[in-house]
Amino acid sequence: EVQLVESGGGLVQPGRSLRLSCAASGFTFDDYAMHWVRQAPGKGLEWVSGISWNSGTSGYADSVKGRFTISRDNAKNSLYLQMNSLRPEDTAFYFCARGQYSTTFGDIWGLGTLVTVS
Amino acid sequence: QSVLTQPPSASGTPGQTVTISCSGSRSNIRRNPVNWYQQLPGSAPKLLIYTNNQRPSGVPDRFSDSKSDSSASLAISGLQSEDEGDYYCAVWDDSRNGWVFGGGTKLTVL
């Protein structure tokens, strides 16, 4: 079964760090770019970051640039999001999603992990 | 304030056709294909439409999209109660070098 499972969320104080992981299974991980998308409770979707299949290209939303770092380990079929200098406005469900880098993404999504900054 | 503008709500009765608009700019919708997502209550988003009206396997052809200049629209025909949820447009923005989403449209089936 094609699946993405996020982990690493939790309650963290402002200014602290957190690392999210996304474990992929059921497909050839390095055939795809990967993305992180977040959703504050009761709010809309916001693209956070994306990374190409070979880590050669990555990008960030302005709201997280300089604080968050996306990475992947194709040998471990895993995607990561290192989040530093967390702010209350970073509180959200964080989803990982599979796709291409700049044409389409999201044919597969994880269920999300909740990050609360308080 | 989202880069892409969607109406906050839409509604229709079963069997009707509902259209949801998504307005952008020359750096995003005019140049790049629009993706549409459906998010049912308590669930992760689901890709509905991508790259010039293509649908992933399992998405019925009741869902279709169109694009004109810097705007796009999602049409849902033969509206069903299970279509009730939130709908988002998203597109790559060449100026921002990243993806941008619309604010979402809450669809109610009356």
Side-chain angles (χ1 to χ4, degrees):
Chain A
E1 180 190 4
V2 176
Q3 198 173 12
L4 296 171
V5 179
E6 302 91 341
S7 60
L11 175 63
V12 62
Q13 293 177 329
R16 303 298 290 266
S17 299
L18 208 58
R19 188 195 196 206
L20 304 184
S21 299
C22 170
S25 59
F27 65 97
T28 304
F29 186 63
D30 55 13
D31 276 350
Y32 295 89
M34 296 295 296
H35 298 267
W36 288 99
V37 174
R38 69 184 181 183
Q39 185 171 36
K43 302 296 184 183
L45 301 174
E46 179 189 16
W47 179 80
V48 173
S49 182
I51 188 168
S52 62
W53 68 275
N54 63 352
S55 303
T57 303
S58 62
Y60 301 89
D62 287 345
S63 57
V64 307
K65 202 169 291 182
R67 301 186 298 122
F68 290 12
T69 302
I70 192 172
S71 62
R72 64 189 295 163
D73 185 337
N74 288 344
K76 294 183 177 180
N77 292 336
S78 292
L79 173 72
Y80 306 101
L81 186 68
Q82 178 67 42
M83 304 186 295
N84 298 333
S85 303
L86 282 162
R87 304 168 180 168
E89 55 263 38
D90 295 319
T91 294
F93 286 93
Y94 284 74
F95 299 96
C96 60
R98 174 184 97 164
Q100 304 306 315
Y101 188 71
S102 62
T103 54
T104 186
F105 77 93
D107 64 332
I108 301 294
W109 294 71
L111 295 180
T113 187
L114 178 61
V115 173
T116 303
V117 184
S118 177
Chain B
Q1 191 78 359
S2 301
V3 174
L4 306 179
T5 301
Q6 295 181 236
S9 63
S11 63
T13 57
Q16 271 190 331
T17 296
V18 169
T19 300
I20 296 171
S21 62
C22 174
S23 178
S25 68
R26 64 192 305 169
S27 67
N28 45 63
I29 292 181
R30 186 186 285 191
R31 293 183 182 177
N32 298 308
V34 177
N35 291 357
W36 289 92
Y37 303 88
Q38 176 194 60
Q39 188 176 32
L40 301 179
S43 299
K46 170 186 173 182
L47 181 64
L48 279 181
I49 301 276
Y50 66 100
T51 314
N52 302 327
N53 210 24
Q54 297 193 68
R55 292 179 303 277
S57 173
V59 175
D61 59 7
R62 300 188 297 106
F63 295 91
S64 63
D65 84 332
S66 61
K67 191 166 81 167
S68 177
D69 196 26
S70 299
S71 292
S73 294
L74 173 71
I76 308 172
S77 62
L79 199 62
Q80 300 178 4
S81 57
E82 54 260 42
D83 297 333
E84 199 163 87
D86 297 321
Y87 291 80
Y88 296 89
C89 57
V91 64
W92 178 264
D93 190 297
D94 290 338
S95 296
R96 290 172 170 77
N97 256 321
W99 286 85
V100 291
F101 277 91
T105 298
K106 184 176 185 62
L107 174 65
T108 301
V109 180
L110 302 171

Coordinates of all heavy atoms in Angstrom, one line a residue, chain A residues 13-94:
Chain A
Q13 N 7.9 25.0 23.1 CA 7.9 26.4 23.5 C 8.4 27.3 22.4 O 9.2 26.9 21.5 CB 8.8 26.6 24.7 CG 8.3 26.0 26.0 CD 9.2 26.2 27.2 OE1 10.4 26.2 27.0 NE2 8.7 26.2 28.4
P14 N 8.0 28.5 22.3 CA 8.5 29.5 21.3 C 10.0 29.6 21.4 O 10.6 29.6 22.5 CB 7.8 30.8 21.7 CG 6.5 30.4 22.4 CD 6.9 29.1 23.2
G15 N 10.6 29.6 20.2 CA 12.0 29.8 20.1 C 12.8 28.4 20.1 O 14.0 28.4 19.7
R16 N 12.1 27.3 20.4 CA 12.7 26.0 20.4 C 12.6 25.4 19.0 O 12.1 26.0 18.1 CB 12.1 25.1 21.5 CG 12.1 25.7 22.9 CD 13.5 25.9 23.4 NE 14.2 24.6 23.7 CZ 14.2 24.0 24.9 NH1 13.6 24.6 25.9 NH2 14.9 22.9 25.0
S17 N 13.2 24.2 18.9 CA 13.2 23.5 17.7 C 12.5 22.2 17.7 O 12.2 21.6 18.8 CB 14.7 23.2 17.3 OG 15.5 24.3 17.2
L18 N 12.1 21.7 16.5 CA 11.4 20.4 16.4 C 11.8 19.8 15.0 O 12.0 20.6 14.1 CB 9.9 20.6 16.5 CG 9.0 19.5 17.0 CD1 9.5 19.0 18.4 CD2 7.6 19.9 17.0
R19 N 11.9 18.5 14.9 CA 12.2 17.9 13.6 C 11.1 16.9 13.3 O 10.8 16.0 14.1 CB 13.5 17.1 13.7 CG 14.0 16.6 12.3 CD 15.1 15.6 12.5 NE 15.8 15.3 11.3 CZ 16.4 14.2 11.0 NH1 16.4 13.2 11.9 NH2 17.1 14.0 9.9
L20 N 10.4 17.1 12.2 CA 9.4 16.3 11.7 C 10.0 15.2 10.7 O 10.9 15.5 10.0 CB 8.3 17.0 11.0 CG 7.6 18.2 11.8 CD1 6.5 18.8 10.9 CD2 7.1 17.7 13.1
S21 N 9.4 14.1 10.7 CA 9.8 13.0 9.8 C 8.5 12.5 9.0 O 7.4 12.6 9.5 CB 10.4 11.8 10.5 OG 11.5 12.2 11.2
C22 N 8.8 12.0 7.8 CA 7.7 11.5 7.0 C 8.3 10.2 6.4 O 9.2 10.2 5.6 CB 7.3 12.5 5.9 SG 6.2 11.8 4.6
A23 N 7.7 9.1 6.8 CA 8.2 7.8 6.3 C 7.3 7.3 5.1 O 6.1 7.3 5.2 CB 8.1 6.7 7.4
A24 N 8.0 7.0 4.0 CA 7.3 6.6 2.8 C 7.4 5.1 2.6 O 8.4 4.5 2.9 CB 7.9 7.3 1.6
S25 N 6.3 4.5 2.1 CA 6.3 3.1 1.8 C 5.4 2.8 0.6 O 4.5 3.6 0.3 CB 5.9 2.3 3.0 OG 4.6 2.6 3.4
G26 N 5.6 1.7 -0.1 CA 4.8 1.2 -1.2 C 5.0 1.8 -2.5 O 4.3 1.6 -3.5
F27 N 6.1 2.7 -2.6 CA 6.4 3.2 -3.9 C 7.9 3.6 -3.9 O 8.6 3.5 -2.9 CB 5.6 4.5 -4.2 CG 5.8 5.7 -3.3 CD1 6.7 6.7 -3.7 CD2 5.2 5.7 -2.1 CE1 6.9 7.8 -2.8 CE2 5.3 6.8 -1.3 CZ 6.2 7.8 -1.6
T28 N 8.4 3.8 -5.1 CA 9.9 4.2 -5.3 C 10.1 5.6 -4.9 O 9.8 6.5 -5.6 CB 10.3 3.9 -6.7 OG1 10.0 2.6 -7.1 CG2 11.8 4.2 -6.8
F29 N 10.6 5.8 -3.7 CA 10.6 7.1 -3.1 C 11.4 8.1 -3.9 O 11.0 9.3 -4.1 CB 11.3 7.0 -1.7 CG 11.3 8.3 -0.9 CD1 10.1 8.9 -0.5 CD2 12.5 8.8 -0.5 CE1 10.1 10.0 0.3 CE2 12.5 10.0 0.3 CZ 11.3 10.6 0.7
D30 N 12.5 7.7 -4.5 CA 13.4 8.7 -5.2 C 12.9 8.9 -6.6 O 13.6 9.5 -7.4 CB 14.8 8.3 -5.1 CG 15.1 6.9 -5.6 OD1 14.2 6.3 -6.2 OD2 16.3 6.4 -5.4
D31 N 11.7 8.5 -7.0 CA 11.1 8.8 -8.2 C 10.3 10.2 -8.1 O 9.8 10.7 -9.1 CB 10.1 7.8 -8.7 CG 10.8 6.6 -9.5 OD1 11.9 6.8 -9.8 OD2 10.1 5.6 -9.8
Y32 N 10.2 10.6 -6.9 CA 9.3 11.8 -6.6 C 9.9 12.9 -5.8 O 10.8 12.7 -4.9 CB 8.1 11.3 -5.8 CG 7.2 10.3 -6.5 CD1 7.4 8.9 -6.5 CD2 6.1 10.8 -7.3 CE1 6.6 8.0 -7.2 CE2 5.3 9.9 -8.0 CZ 5.6 8.5 -7.9 OH 4.8 7.6 -8.6
A33 N 9.5 14.1 -6.1 CA 9.7 15.2 -5.2 C 8.8 15.1 -4.0 O 7.8 14.4 -4.1 CB 9.5 16.6 -6.0
M34 N 9.1 15.8 -3.0 CA 8.3 15.7 -1.8 C 8.0 17.1 -1.2 O 8.9 18.0 -1.4 CB 8.9 14.9 -0.7 CG 9.1 13.4 -1.1 SD 7.5 12.5 -1.3 CE 6.9 12.6 0.4
H35 N 6.9 17.3 -0.6 CA 6.5 18.6 0.0 C 6.0 18.5 1.4 O 5.5 17.5 1.8 CB 5.4 19.2 -0.9 CG 5.8 19.4 -2.3 ND1 6.4 20.6 -2.8 CD2 5.8 18.6 -3.4 CE1 6.6 20.5 -4.1 NE2 6.3 19.3 -4.5
W36 N 6.1 19.6 2.1 CA 5.4 19.8 3.4 C 4.4 20.9 3.2 O 4.7 22.0 2.7 CB 6.4 20.2 4.5 CG 7.3 19.1 4.9 CD1 8.6 18.9 4.5 CD2 7.0 18.1 5.9 NE1 9.1 17.8 5.2 CE2 8.2 17.3 6.0 CE3 5.9 17.7 6.6 CZ2 8.2 16.2 6.8 CZ3 5.9 16.6 7.4 CH2 7.1 15.9 7.5
V37 N 3.2 20.6 3.7 CA 2.1 21.6 3.7 C 1.5 21.6 5.1 O 1.4 20.6 5.7 CB 1.0 21.2 2.7 CG1 -0.2 22.1 2.7 CG2 1.6 21.1 1.2
R38 N 1.2 22.8 5.5 CA 0.6 22.9 6.9 C -0.8 23.6 6.9 O -1.2 24.2 5.9 CB 1.5 23.7 7.8 CG 1.7 25.2 7.5 CD 2.7 25.8 8.5 NE 2.8 27.2 8.2 CZ 3.7 28.0 8.9 NH1 4.6 27.4 9.8 NH2 3.8 29.3 8.6
Q39 N -1.5 23.3 8.0 CA -2.8 23.8 8.1 C -3.1 24.2 9.6 O -3.2 23.3 10.4 CB -3.9 22.8 7.6 CG -5.3 23.3 7.6 CD -6.2 22.3 6.9 OE1 -6.1 21.1 7.0 NE2 -7.2 22.9 6.2
A40 N -3.1 25.5 9.9 CA -3.5 25.9 11.2 C -4.9 25.4 11.5 O -5.7 25.4 10.6 CB -3.3 27.4 11.3
P41 N -5.2 25.1 12.8 CA -6.5 24.7 13.1 C -7.6 25.6 12.6 O -7.6 26.8 12.9 CB -6.5 24.6 14.7 CG -5.1 24.4 15.0 CD -4.3 25.1 13.9
G42 N -8.6 25.1 11.9 CA -9.7 25.8 11.3 C -9.3 26.8 10.2 O -10.2 27.5 9.7
K43 N -8.1 26.7 9.7 CA -7.6 27.6 8.6 C -7.4 26.8 7.3 O -7.6 25.6 7.2 CB -6.4 28.3 9.0 CG -6.6 29.1 10.3 CD -7.6 30.3 10.1 CE -7.7 31.1 11.4 NZ -8.7 32.2 11.2
G44 N -6.9 27.5 6.3 CA -6.6 26.9 5.0 C -5.2 26.3 4.9 O -4.4 26.3 5.9
L45 N -4.9 25.7 3.7 CA -3.7 25.0 3.5 C -2.6 26.1 3.1 O -2.8 27.1 2.4 CB -3.8 24.1 2.3 CG -4.9 22.9 2.5 CD1 -5.0 22.1 1.2 CD2 -4.5 22.0 3.7
E46 N -1.4 25.8 3.6 CA -0.2 26.7 3.2 C 1.0 25.8 2.9 O 1.4 24.9 3.7 CB 0.2 27.6 4.4 CG 1.4 28.4 4.1 CD 1.9 29.2 5.4 OE1 1.5 28.8 6.5 OE2 2.7 30.1 5.2
W47 N 1.5 25.9 1.7 CA 2.7 25.2 1.3 C 3.9 25.7 2.1 O 4.1 26.9 2.3 CB 3.0 25.4 -0.2 CG 4.2 24.8 -0.7 CD1 4.4 23.4 -1.1 CD2 5.5 25.4 -1.0 NE1 5.7 23.2 -1.5 CE2 6.4 24.4 -1.5 CE3 6.0 26.7 -0.8 CZ2 7.7 24.7 -1.8 CZ3 7.3 27.0 -1.2 CH2 8.1 26.0 -1.7
V48 N 4.7 24.8 2.7 CA 5.8 25.2 3.5 C 7.1 25.0 2.8 O 7.9 25.9 2.8 CB 5.8 24.3 4.8 CG1 7.0 24.5 5.6 CG2 4.5 24.5 5.6
S49 N 7.3 23.9 2.2 CA 8.6 23.6 1.6 C 8.5 22.4 0.6 O 7.6 21.6 0.8 CB 9.6 23.3 2.7 OG 10.9 23.1 2.1
G50 N 9.4 22.4 -0.4 CA 9.5 21.2 -1.3 C 10.9 20.9 -1.6 O 11.8 21.7 -1.4
I51 N 11.2 19.6 -2.0 CA 12.5 19.2 -2.3 C 12.4 18.2 -3.5 O 11.5 17.4 -3.6 CB 13.2 18.5 -1.1 CG1 14.6 18.2 -1.3 CG2 12.4 17.3 -0.6 CD1 15.4 17.9 -0.1
S52 N 13.4 18.4 -4.4 CA 13.4 17.5 -5.6 C 13.8 16.1 -5.2 O 14.3 15.8 -4.1 CB 14.3 18.1 -6.7 OG 15.6 18.2 -6.2
W53 N 13.7 15.2 -6.2 CA 13.9 13.8 -5.9 C 15.4 13.5 -5.4 O 15.6 12.6 -4.6 CB 13.7 13.0 -7.2 CG 14.7 13.2 -8.3 CD1 14.6 14.2 -9.2 CD2 15.9 12.5 -8.6 NE1 15.7 14.1 -10.1 CE2 16.5 13.1 -9.7 CE3 16.5 11.3 -8.0 CZ2 17.7 12.6 -10.2 CZ3 17.6 10.9 -8.5 CH2 18.2 11.5 -9.6
N54 N 16.3 14.3 -5.9 CA 17.7 14.1 -5.6 C 18.3 15.1 -4.6 O 19.5 15.2 -4.5 CB 18.6 14.1 -6.9 CG 18.5 15.4 -7.6 OD1 17.8 16.3 -7.2 ND2 19.4 15.5 -8.6
S55 N 17.4 15.9 -4.0 CA 17.8 17.0 -3.1 C 18.5 18.1 -3.8 O 19.0 19.0 -3.1 CB 18.7 16.5 -1.9 OG 18.0 15.4 -1.2
G56 N 18.5 18.2 -5.1 CA 19.3 19.2 -5.8 C 18.6 20.5 -5.8 O 19.2 21.6 -5.9
T57 N 17.3 20.5 -5.6 CA 16.5 21.8 -5.6 C 15.5 21.7 -4.4 O 14.9 20.7 -4.1 CB 15.6 21.9 -6.8 OG1 16.5 21.9 -8.0 CG2 14.9 23.2 -6.8
S58 N 15.5 22.8 -3.7 CA 14.5 22.9 -2.6 C 14.0 24.4 -2.5 O 14.7 25.3 -3.0 CB 15.1 22.5 -1.2 OG 16.2 23.3 -0.9
G59 N 12.8 24.5 -1.9 CA 12.3 25.9 -1.8 C 11.4 26.0 -0.5 O 11.0 25.0 0.1
Y60 N 11.2 27.2 -0.1 CA 10.5 27.5 1.1 C 9.5 28.7 1.0 O 9.7 29.6 0.2 CB 11.5 27.9 2.2 CG 12.5 26.8 2.5 CD1 13.7 26.8 1.8 CD2 12.3 25.8 3.5 CE1 14.6 25.8 2.0 CE2 13.2 24.8 3.7 CZ 14.4 24.8 3.0 OH 15.3 23.8 3.2
A61 N 8.4 28.6 1.7 CA 7.5 29.7 1.8 C 8.3 30.9 2.6 O 9.1 30.6 3.4 CB 6.3 29.4 2.6
D62 N 7.9 32.1 2.2 CA 8.6 33.2 2.9 C 8.4 33.2 4.4 O 9.3 33.6 5.2 CB 8.0 34.6 2.4 CG 8.5 34.9 1.0 OD1 9.5 34.2 0.5 OD2 7.8 35.7 0.3
S63 N 7.3 32.6 4.9 CA 7.0 32.6 6.3 C 7.9 31.7 7.1 O 8.0 31.8 8.3 CB 5.5 32.2 6.5 OG 5.3 30.9 5.9
V64 N 8.6 30.8 6.4 CA 9.5 29.9 7.2 C 11.0 30.0 6.7 O 11.9 29.3 7.3 CB 9.0 28.4 7.1 CG1 7.6 28.3 7.5 CG2 9.2 27.9 5.7
K65 N 11.2 30.8 5.7 CA 12.6 30.8 5.1 C 13.6 31.3 6.1 O 13.3 32.2 6.9 CB 12.6 31.8 3.9 CG 13.7 31.6 2.9 CD 13.4 32.4 1.6 CE 12.3 31.9 0.8 NZ 12.0 32.7 -0.4
G66 N 14.7 30.6 6.2 CA 15.7 30.9 7.2 C 15.5 30.2 8.5 O 16.4 30.2 9.4
R67 N 14.4 29.6 8.8 CA 14.1 29.0 10.0 C 13.9 27.5 9.9 O 14.2 26.7 10.7 CB 12.8 29.5 10.7 CG 12.9 31.0 11.0 CD 11.7 31.5 11.8 NE 10.5 31.3 11.1 CZ 9.4 30.6 11.6 NH1 9.5 30.0 12.8 NH2 8.3 30.5 10.9
F68 N 13.3 27.1 8.7 CA 13.0 25.7 8.5 C 14.0 25.1 7.4 O 14.4 25.9 6.5 CB 11.6 25.5 8.0 CG 10.5 25.7 9.0 CD1 10.8 26.3 10.2 CD2 9.2 25.4 8.7 CE1 9.8 26.5 11.2 CE2 8.2 25.6 9.6 CZ 8.5 26.1 10.9
T69 N 14.3 23.8 7.5 CA 15.2 23.2 6.5 C 14.6 21.8 6.1 O 14.3 21.0 7.0 CB 16.6 23.0 7.0 OG1 17.1 24.2 7.4 CG2 17.5 22.3 6.0
I70 N 14.3 21.7 4.9 CA 13.8 20.4 4.4 C 15.0 19.5 3.9 O 16.0 20.0 3.4 CB 12.8 20.6 3.2 CG1 12.1 19.3 2.9 CG2 13.5 21.2 2.0 CD1 10.9 19.5 1.9
S71 N 14.9 18.2 4.1 CA 15.9 17.3 3.7 C 15.2 15.9 3.4 O 14.1 15.7 3.9 CB 17.0 17.2 4.7 OG 16.5 16.6 5.9
R72 N 15.9 15.0 2.8 CA 15.4 13.7 2.6 C 16.6 12.7 2.6 O 17.7 13.1 2.3 CB 14.7 13.6 1.2 CG 15.5 13.9 0.0 CD 14.6 14.0 -1.3 NE 14.0 12.7 -1.6 CZ 12.9 12.7 -2.4 NH1 12.4 13.8 -3.0 NH2 12.4 11.5 -2.7
D73 N 16.3 11.5 2.9 CA 17.2 10.4 2.8 C 16.6 9.3 2.0 O 15.7 8.5 2.5 CB 17.5 9.9 4.3 CG 18.6 8.8 4.3 OD1 18.9 8.1 3.3 OD2 19.3 8.7 5.3
N74 N 17.0 9.2 0.7 CA 16.4 8.2 -0.2 C 16.7 6.8 0.2 O 15.9 5.9 0.0 CB 16.8 8.5 -1.6 CG 16.2 9.7 -2.2 OD1 15.2 10.3 -1.6 ND2 16.7 10.2 -3.3
A75 N 17.8 6.6 0.9 CA 18.1 5.2 1.3 C 17.2 4.7 2.4 O 16.9 3.5 2.6 CB 19.6 5.2 1.8
K76 N 16.6 5.7 3.2 CA 15.7 5.4 4.3 C 14.3 5.7 3.9 O 13.4 5.6 4.8 CB 16.1 6.2 5.5 CG 17.4 5.8 6.1 CD 17.7 6.5 7.4 CE 19.1 6.1 8.0 NZ 19.4 6.8 9.3
N77 N 14.0 6.1 2.7 CA 12.6 6.4 2.2 C 12.0 7.4 3.2 O 10.8 7.3 3.6 CB 11.8 5.2 2.1 CG 12.2 4.3 1.0 OD1 12.8 4.7 0.0 ND2 11.9 3.0 1.2
S78 N 12.7 8.5 3.5 CA 12.3 9.4 4.5 C 12.5 10.9 4.1 O 13.5 11.2 3.5 CB 13.0 9.1 5.9 OG 12.5 7.9 6.4
L79 N 11.5 11.7 4.6 CA 11.6 13.1 4.4 C 11.6 13.8 5.7 O 11.0 13.2 6.7 CB 10.3 13.6 3.6 CG 10.1 15.0 3.4 CD1 11.0 15.6 2.4 CD2 8.6 15.3 3.0
Y80 N 12.3 14.9 5.8 CA 12.4 15.6 7.1 C 12.1 17.1 7.0 O 12.2 17.6 5.9 CB 13.8 15.4 7.7 CG 14.3 13.9 7.8 CD1 15.1 13.4 6.8 CD2 13.8 13.1 8.8 CE1 15.5 12.1 6.9 CE2 14.2 11.8 8.8 CZ 15.0 11.3 7.9 OH 15.4 10.0 7.9
L81 N 11.7 17.7 8.1 CA 11.6 19.1 8.2 C 12.1 19.5 9.5 O 11.6 19.2 10.6 CB 10.1 19.5 8.1 CG 9.9 21.1 8.0 CD1 10.5 21.6 6.7 CD2 8.4 21.4 8.1
Q82 N 13.3 20.2 9.5 CA 13.9 20.7 10.7 C 13.3 22.1 10.9 O 13.5 23.0 10.1 CB 15.4 20.8 10.6 CG 16.1 21.4 11.8 CD 16.0 20.6 13.0 OE1 16.1 19.3 13.0 NE2 15.8 21.2 14.2
M83 N 12.7 22.3 12.1 CA 12.0 23.6 12.3 C 12.7 24.3 13.5 O 12.7 23.7 14.7 CB 10.5 23.4 12.6 CG 9.8 22.6 11.5 SD 8.0 22.5 11.8 CE 8.0 21.5 13.3
N84 N 13.3 25.4 13.3 CA 14.0 26.1 14.3 C 13.3 27.5 14.6 O 12.5 27.9 13.8 CB 15.5 26.4 13.9 CG 16.3 25.2 13.7 OD1 16.0 24.1 14.3 ND2 17.3 25.2 12.8
S85 N 13.6 28.1 15.8 CA 13.1 29.4 16.1 C 11.6 29.4 15.9 O 11.0 30.3 15.3 CB 13.7 30.5 15.3 OG 15.1 30.5 15.4
L86 N 10.9 28.4 16.5 CA 9.5 28.2 16.3 C 8.7 29.4 16.9 O 9.1 29.9 18.0 CB 9.0 26.9 16.8 CG 9.3 25.7 15.9 CD1 9.3 24.4 16.7 CD2 8.4 25.7 14.7
R87 N 7.6 29.7 16.3 CA 6.7 30.8 16.7 C 5.3 30.3 16.9 O 4.9 29.3 16.3 CB 6.7 31.9 15.6 CG 8.1 32.4 15.2 CD 7.9 33.3 14.0 NE 9.2 33.8 13.5 CZ 9.5 34.4 12.3 NH1 8.5 34.5 11.5 NH2 10.7 34.8 12.1
P88 N 4.5 31.0 17.7 CA 3.1 30.5 17.9 C 2.4 30.4 16.6 O 1.5 29.5 16.5 CB 2.5 31.6 18.8 CG 3.7 32.2 19.6 CD 4.9 32.1 18.6
E89 N 2.7 31.2 15.6 CA 2.0 31.1 14.3 C 2.4 29.9 13.5 O 1.8 29.7 12.4 CB 2.2 32.4 13.5 CG 3.6 32.8 13.3 CD 4.1 33.8 14.3 OE1 3.7 33.8 15.5 OE2 4.9 34.7 13.9
D90 N 3.4 29.1 14.0 CA 3.8 27.9 13.3 C 2.9 26.7 13.7 O 3.0 25.6 13.2 CB 5.2 27.5 13.6 CG 6.2 28.5 13.0 OD1 5.9 29.0 11.8 OD2 7.2 28.9 13.6
T91 N 2.0 27.0 14.7 CA 1.1 26.0 15.2 C 0.2 25.5 14.1 O -0.5 26.3 13.5 CB 0.2 26.5 16.4 OG1 1.1 26.8 17.5 CG2 -0.8 25.5 16.8
A92 N 0.2 24.2 13.8 CA -0.5 23.7 12.6 C -0.4 22.2 12.6 O 0.5 21.6 13.2 CB -0.1 24.3 11.3
F93 N -1.3 21.6 11.8 CA -1.0 20.2 11.3 C -0.1 20.3 10.1 O -0.2 21.1 9.2 CB -2.3 19.6 10.8 CG -3.3 19.2 12.0 CD1 -4.2 20.0 12.4 CD2 -3.1 17.9 12.6 CE1 -5.1 19.7 13.5 CE2 -4.0 17.6 13.6 CZ -4.9 18.5 14.1
Y94 N 0.9 19.5 10.1 CA 1.9 19.4 9.1 C 1.7 18.1 8.3 O 1.8 17.0 8.9 CB 3.3 19.5 9.6 CG 3.7 20.9 10.1 CD1 3.1 21.5 11.2 CD2 4.5 21.7 9.3 CE1 3.4 22.8 11.6 CE2 4.8 23.0 9.7 CZ 4.3 23.5 10.8 OH 4.5 24.8 11.2

